[in-house]
Amino acid sequence: QVQLVESGGGLVQTGGSLRLSCAASGRTFSSYNMGWFRQAPGKEREFVGTFTRSGTTYYADSVKGRFTISRDNAKNTVYLQMNSLKPEDTAFYYCAAKVGYGSRWFADYEYWGQGTQVTVSS
């Protein structure tokens, strides 16, 4: 099993940046595919991006070119760098982990953090 703890959320103005971190417990972090998802009030949880265990990244079209996922296996941490933030990026952001192959589908992920709020003011 792996436990995930997100941090780094907050309030930022349009055009600003934030970096979210997701710290994982356990000694097998490098074997997990890590994903970032977000959920705004009244909306379904949506895929933001993933960093697979093989080192490949995928992003939702809505964040491509603005968000970057990185991971440091030595620190058991995955990051979500968010630049050029827009009000529509406002949501609760979650990191998630899964074994096997990477996925854009939230139901495929076995482990979830508690989430962190990101609010972008206009």
Side-chain angles (χ1 to χ4, degrees), residues 55-94:
T56 306
T57 54
Y58 300 95
Y59 298 95
D61 288 343
S62 59
V63 306
K64 201 172 294 182
R66 299 188 298 122
F67 290 12
T68 302
I69 299 174
S70 59
R71 67 189 289 170
D72 185 337
N73 288 336
K75 294 183 178 180
N76 281 12
T77 302
V78 63
Y79 304 96
L80 177 65
Q81 177 67 45
M82 305 184 293
N83 299 328
S84 302
L85 282 161
K86 306 175 182 179
E88 51 263 44
D89 295 317
T90 295
F92 220 70
Y93 282 72
Y94 298 90

Side-chain angles (χ1 to χ4, degrees), residues 6-46:
E6 301 96 333
S7 61
L11 174 65
V12 64
Q13 291 185 334
T14 296
S17 297
L18 279 176
R19 189 177 80 156
L20 306 184
S21 299
C22 174
S25 64
R27 294 177 291 178
T28 60
F29 174 74
S30 61
S31 66
Y32 288 93
N33 302 283
M34 301 302 297
W36 284 97
F37 293 80
R38 66 187 182 186
Q39 188 166 17
K43 294 189 177 182
E44 291 187 351
R45 191 166 299 189
E46 66 170 352

